[in-house]
């Protein structure tokens, strides 16, 4: 059995806790649905265990361990914060981390009913996050760059899922983002992967942000795309008004990136409908709705 084929069960999680953190081993363990690169298990009421599963390297978990304790204290929404480290062992030769649990329901299984409140909340969170990143902050070849460096990914998603009736409009949005001026100020901290499965909601609004594995120093437009990817129709303009730091070029880049993210969600939904590994059937409608909001503009 290869590492990627190891079955992660509640018994395995408990055994690992007994070996490395025995004071936590008596807490209730419950599987959390979803996850691909990592699998999550609830640990009691306030903690979770993040198990490296399909991620080929521990880089993303180690990045969260290093930087979330730095970022979390100044962010206005709950985020998962590492509290214990699980190291590779003979029983499980991968990394795992005990983190604080962020209460709420993932948006891909919930909804935002209080759109204005969610727009204001998201804007406040991103204002707090988007500060100049230190020189030692991680950079990414996949996230945080100008859209022109992502044309291969966009073309792949576009050719796989874009409906013919809106193809020209979607392509025009992307081309405009590629033509927009670059971010010329110092790179800022970005989450980089804000989509419906990586935020949680409660009481009809945003209540937490999770999965910081893609976080890096880069262009804030990667997060500003959430104005269309996460928020209900008509809320983008309010979001940008409350965020107050996005110029026209940043909005153009963000809108193109939102189109790419919407296509990605549609492709994941399509893969789910086909029963392919990692597919998420409920992401398809979320992606199409995001794309429709992108085409509405700001």
């Amino acid at each position: 059995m290869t590492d990627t084929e190891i079955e992660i069960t509640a018994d395995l999680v408990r055994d690992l806790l007994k070996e490395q953190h025995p004071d936590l081993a008596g807490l209730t363990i419950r599987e959390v649905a979803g996850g691909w690169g990592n699998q999550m298990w609830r640990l009691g009421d306030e903690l979770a265990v993040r198990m490296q599963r399909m991620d080929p390297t521990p880089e993303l978990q180690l990045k969260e361990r290093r930087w979330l304790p730095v970022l979390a204290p100044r962010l206005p929404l709950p985020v998962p914060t590492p509290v214990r480290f699980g190291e590779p062992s003979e029983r499980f030769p991968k990394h795992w981390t005990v983190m604080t649990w962020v209460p709420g329901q993932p948006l891909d299984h919930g909804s935002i009913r209080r759109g204005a409140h969610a727009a204001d909340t998201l804007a406040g969170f991103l204002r707090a996050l988007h500060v100049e990143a230190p020189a030692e902050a991680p950079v990414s070849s996949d996230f945080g760059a100008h859209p022109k460096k992502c044309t291969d990914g966009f073309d792949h998603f576009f050719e796989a899922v874009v409906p013919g009736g809106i193809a020209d409009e979607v392509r025009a949005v992307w081309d405009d983002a590629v033509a927009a001026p670059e971010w010329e100020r110092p790179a800022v901290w970005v989450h980089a992967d804000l989509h419906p499965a990586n935020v949680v909601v409660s009481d009809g609004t945003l209540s937490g942000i999770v999965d910081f594995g893609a976080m890096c120093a880069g262009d804030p437009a990667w997060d500003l795309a959430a104005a269309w990817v996460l928020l209900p129709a008509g809320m983008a303009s309010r979001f940008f008004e409350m965020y107050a730091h996005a110029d026209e070029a940043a909005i153009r880049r963000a809108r193109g990136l939102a189109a790419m993210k919407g296509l990605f969600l549609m492709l994941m939904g399509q893969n789910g409908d086909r029963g392919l590994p990692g597919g998420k059937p409920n992401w398809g409608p979320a992606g199409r709705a995001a794309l429709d909001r992108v085409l509405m503009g700001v």
Side-chain angles (χ1 to χ4, degrees), residues 7 21 42 47 92 95 103 120 135 141 167-168 191 196 201 240 251 256:
E7 183 181 7
H21 300 286
R42 286 288 300 272
L47 299 173
F92 185 70
H95 287 75
D120 295 353
S141 59
D168 290 345
H191 179 285
V201 295
F240 283 110
I251 294 173

Side-chain angles (χ1 to χ4, degrees), residues 187-211:
V188 300
W189 280 113
V190 292
H191 179 285
D193 199 22
L194 292 174
H195 62 68
N198 286 346
V199 302
V200 295
V201 295
S202 59
D203 194 25
T205 189
L206 289 176
S207 58
I209 308 292
V210 299
D211 197 344

Side-chain angles (χ1 to χ4, degrees), residues 247-258:
D247 59 18
E248 179 187 2
I251 294 173
R252 290 166 61 191
R253 296 192 306 273
R255 190 169 172 233
L257 290 166

Side-chain angles (χ1 to χ4, degrees), residues 43-288:
L43 182 61
D45 293 329
E46 299 180 353
L47 299 173
V49 182
R50 188 168 170 81
M51 307 283 292
Q52 184 189 343
R53 182 167 63 178
M54 298 304 293
D55 283 345
T57 73
E59 177 186 355
L60 303 186
Q61 275 209 37
L62 297 180
K63 180 167 50 172
E64 290 184 324
R65 290 182 183 183
R66 167 68 177 88
W67 292 107
L68 277 174
V70 176
L71 295 173
R74 57 179 178 77
L75 297 176
L77 286 177
V79 301
T81 305
V83 296
R84 302 283 185 91
F85 299 160
E87 302 305 327
S89 64
E90 183 176 353
R91 186 79 171 85
F92 185 70
K94 295 189 176 190
H95 287 75
W96 50 282
T97 306
V98 180
M99 313 183 81
T100 57
W101 174 254
V102 178
Q105 182 180 34
L107 181 55
D108 62 334
H109 291 281
S111 63
I112 292 175
R113 301 185 308 276
R114 299 162 60 198
H117 187 279
D120 295 353
T121 300
L122 180 63
F125 177 85
L126 293 181
R127 281 200 310 269
L129 177 63
H130 291 166
V131 298
E132 182 175 348
E136 63 271 25
V139 295
S140 173
S141 59
D142 298 319
F143 300 94
H146 190 281
K148 66 185 178 184
K149 297 183 179 180
C150 307
T151 53
D152 289 346
F154 175 85
D155 288 343
H156 171 68
F157 302 146
F158 182 86
E159 292 166 7
V161 300
V162 71
I166 60 172
D168 290 345
E169 294 177 80
V170 174
R171 174 63 70 177
V173 170
W174 179 252
D175 289 344
D176 184 60
V178 169
E182 296 196 34
W183 175 255
E184 296 182 343
R185 285 174 274 174
V188 300
W189 280 113
V190 292
H191 179 285
D193 199 22
L194 292 174
H195 62 68
N198 286 346
V199 302
V200 295
V201 295
S202 59
D203 194 25
T205 189
L206 289 176
S207 58
I209 308 292
V210 299
D211 197 344
F212 282 73
M215 67 177 165
C216 60
D219 180 354
W222 278 79
D223 289 346
L224 302 180
W228 296 277
V229 176
L230 300 180
L231 298 176
M235 287 295 109
S237 58
R238 181 182 180 109
F239 165 82
F240 283 110
E241 180 181 354
M242 296 301 296
Y243 180 79
H245 298 303
D247 59 18
E248 179 187 2
I251 294 173
R252 290 166 61 191
R253 296 192 306 273
R255 190 169 172 233
L257 290 166
M260 182 174 71
K261 289 170 182 275
L263 294 175
F264 163 73
L265 292 171
M266 291 172 66
L267 179 57
M268 292 293 286
Q270 179 176 284
N271 289 345
D273 292 340
R274 295 174 176 175
L276 299 177
K280 307 286 186 181
N282 57 319
W283 286 18
R288 179 55 200 262

